[in-house]
Amino acid sequence: MLEDKLVTTNDGSHTLFSLKYNQHFHNTEDGGLSEALHKHIIPAFTYFQDKKELNILDICFGLGYNTFATIYYILKNNLDIKINIYSPEFDFDLIKSLKDFTFPKEFEKFKNIINELSNNQKYEDEKIKIEIFIGDARKYIRTFPKNFFDIVYQDAFSSDVNKELWTKEYFLDIYKICKENTIITTYAISTNIRLSMYEAGFFIYESRPTKRKITLAFKQEQMIIGKYIDMELKKIRNKESKALFDSFI
């Protein structure tokens, strides 16, 4: 089996280049830690400022930056909150290798959690519960009850190579397991992806936490974070753009 290549990103953190998908796990200009914080964790925790417990779906686990940056953010800001993170990942060898991966120094305080997840794919204490599911993400998300998740980090490889995690049908399944005030964060900003989310029932918003824009999606309109995107107007102006469907795969 081909091994992924280690890459150092602009913020000094390391990531991998996937030989299977021919893509980096993170944008090398932003960096692994910076991308996780600014594109996922900070927007989500800005939206939820007073919650005492959050259920988070991390699609897909990969190197775990989103999950680990969440823990780092909570500890750094001394937040009194319990988090339950659930994350699918198809690459078992990658998970087993995490205990030997060179993570940012910011993660050193909870190296024990990284080791536990690498060895057993589960970790739990009074404030943190993490479960990594090895297998098909589409099947995994269908195992959750309705109205379960507060936050979804939609961080799969791009739709160019991993279309099954960006279709309308996929987002319909996500919609079912989201609470009414759920926030979805993603780096993907193409009209096609936004249409997939919109046609599954989500309201679409845009934010620019770094020099790159991100997409935020919600079940209901809100005025806390992001700029509202009128997808009906987008459809009129971009007649060639279409949502992605499972039938395209």
Side-chain angles (χ1 to χ4, degrees), residues 43 184 186-191 194 203-209 212-218 222 224-231 234:
I184 300 178
T186 184
Y187 66 88
I189 60 170
S190 75
T191 301
R194 288 176 172 178
F203 290 91
I204 307 302
Y205 290 75
E206 183 176 275
S207 182
R208 193 193 289 267
R212 288 179 176 80
K213 297 176 182 177
I214 63 171
T215 298
L216 306 171
F218 304 84
Q222 53 82 39
I224 299 173
I225 184 172
K227 170 190 171 186
Y228 174 70
I229 303 297
D230 187 337
M231 294 308 296
K234 284 279 187 184

Side-chain angles (χ1 to χ4, degrees), residues 43-216:
F45 280 76
T46 298
Y47 180 66
F48 285 117
Q49 293 194 355
D50 300 314
K51 295 272 283 190
K52 293 301 180 184
E53 184 168 2
L54 291 168
N55 291 335
I56 302 171
L57 178 61
D58 185 3
I59 304 277
C60 297
F61 195 83
L63 290 167
Y65 268 92
N66 293 333
T67 288
F68 301 144
T70 299
I71 299 171
Y72 163 71
Y73 182 85
I74 289 171
L75 294 175
K76 180 184 177 184
N77 293 283
N78 197 29
L79 302 180
D80 181 20
I81 191 168
K82 184 178 191 302
I83 54 168
N84 308 299
I85 300 179
Y86 303 84
S87 184
E89 173 56 50
F90 74 93
D91 191 344
F92 190 26
D93 289 333
L94 175 63
I95 299 302
K96 290 190 292 184
S97 74
L98 294 181
K99 60 181 178 292
D100 300 315
F101 189 78
T102 305
F103 284 106
K105 64 182 185 303
E106 287 86 351
F107 295 173
E108 279 299 318
K109 287 184 178 179
F110 47 88
K111 176 69 174 173
N112 63 308
I113 297 178
I114 296 174
N115 291 341
E116 186 72 19
L117 290 171
S118 184
N119 290 326
N120 300 309
Q121 296 77 63
K122 289 184 179 181
Y123 175 84
E124 187 167 5
D125 61 31
E126 290 182 356
K127 289 290 189 179
I128 299 170
K129 176 183 177 181
I130 305 169
E131 170 187 290
I132 301 173
F133 170 80
I134 305 300
D136 187 330
R138 293 287 295 264
K139 292 180 180 177
Y140 181 60
I141 62 177
R142 294 184 189 123
T143 65
F144 290 95
K146 292 181 179 180
N147 307 313
F148 185 78
F149 287 105
D150 300 282
I151 296 169
V152 179
Y153 299 145
Q154 175 61 24
D155 200 21
F157 283 109
S158 81
S159 59
D160 292 337
V161 296
N162 199 14
K163 197 174 266 106
E164 62 269 23
L165 296 185
W166 299 97
T167 65
K168 176 183 176 180
E169 290 89 347
Y170 164 78
F171 284 115
L172 281 169
D173 286 339
I174 293 291
Y175 189 93
K176 293 172 186 173
I177 58 177
C178 285
K179 296 177 182 177
E180 284 304 308
N181 61 344
T182 294
I183 180 174
I184 300 178
T185 61
T186 184
Y187 66 88
I189 60 170
S190 75
T191 301
N192 308 71
I193 298 300
R194 288 176 172 178
L195 282 171
S196 294
M197 302 171 89
Y198 173 70
E199 293 186 14
F202 291 102
F203 290 91
I204 307 302
Y205 290 75
E206 183 176 275
S207 182
R208 193 193 289 267
T210 62
K211 63 183 178 180
R212 288 179 176 80
K213 297 176 182 177
I214 63 171
T215 298
L216 306 171

